[in-house]
Amino acid sequence: MGRNLQTGGRLRPIDLARGHGLSTQAVRNYEEAGVLPAAARTAHGHRIYTPLHAAALRAFLALLPGHGHSAAASIMRAVHGGATGEAFRLIDEGHARLLEDRRTLDAVERALRDLDSSGRGAQDRAGGPPGHGGMFIGPLAGSLGVRPATLRVWERAGLVQPRREPRTGYRVYDEAAVRDARLVHQLRRGGYLLEQIAPLIARVRTAGGLEPLRGALDDWRARLAGRGRALLAGAAELDAYLRERG
């Protein structure tokens, strides 16, 4: 059992809220949600908090940047429910998500390098409609080493967006569509599922191409590093709280 939660001095809700930019109602809400351990009450019903509650609040707030509100709250509720193993599992899941995000970023960067080495976005003009630029589905599929049916699957998934040649109705892949097809192809070769590729293609389109995406990837890597640091900081505060609980 942990030590008596009411030892070590009495604190008011405002004492916990002060310094964290929180309202006293937020502190009470955290207690009701199980983020903080239950507080004792005075004869008049006022909550009595202790330094241990303050430590719990510090742990929760430190967990937030790395895990997000829902997961951080679940971790604290598990601790206060006596399910420390479940809390550790949730923390492991946060690290696993970060690792998967790192692997995804690495896959995108490898795909970009592969596109560079293959003449990024270059089109076989002989395979395109006269006077319009772009490629028909057959030549593009051949250049990628896939079947035309595969490109149609990617199109239905929203990963590649060819236009239609008005006179014939044939699919025509302009430079952006060829770029997307090549990137999808590289990521599929890396073992990524279509649903995993979709948000990456969306990033390319939002960035306006591959060159702007490179800067976005640098920002992405910096954010992942920040999450890693936040996970460490959250773990340190949670460990301090667990030690204080005994």
Side-chain angles (χ1 to χ4, degrees), residues 38-88:
R41 301 291 185 113
T42 67
H44 298 287
H46 299 300
R47 290 173 171 85
I48 302 173
Y49 291 123
T50 72
L52 192 61
H53 290 89
L57 182 59
R58 287 194 301 271
F60 171 69
L61 295 177
L63 290 167
L64 279 178
H67 292 277
H69 189 280
S70 178
S74 294
I75 290 168
M76 297 304 294
R77 280 195 292 266
V79 168
H80 298 140
T84 306
E86 172 65 8
F88 293 159

Side-chain angles (χ1 to χ4, degrees), residues 104-122 143-144 178-192 210-211 213-214 217:
T104 298
L105 174 57
D106 290 342
V108 173
E109 291 181 331
R110 284 195 302 270
L112 292 181
R113 288 195 296 269
D114 289 341
L115 291 179
D116 281 333
S117 66
S118 63
R120 174 171 40 91
S143 73
L144 296 176
V178 171
R179 174 204 67 204
D180 292 347
R182 293 184 185 279
L183 186 55
V184 172
H185 180 54
Q186 294 295 342
L187 291 169
R188 289 291 290 144
R189 288 178 60 187
Y192 283 83
L210 296 177
E211 285 303 327
L213 181 64
R214 296 178 197 281
L217 293 180

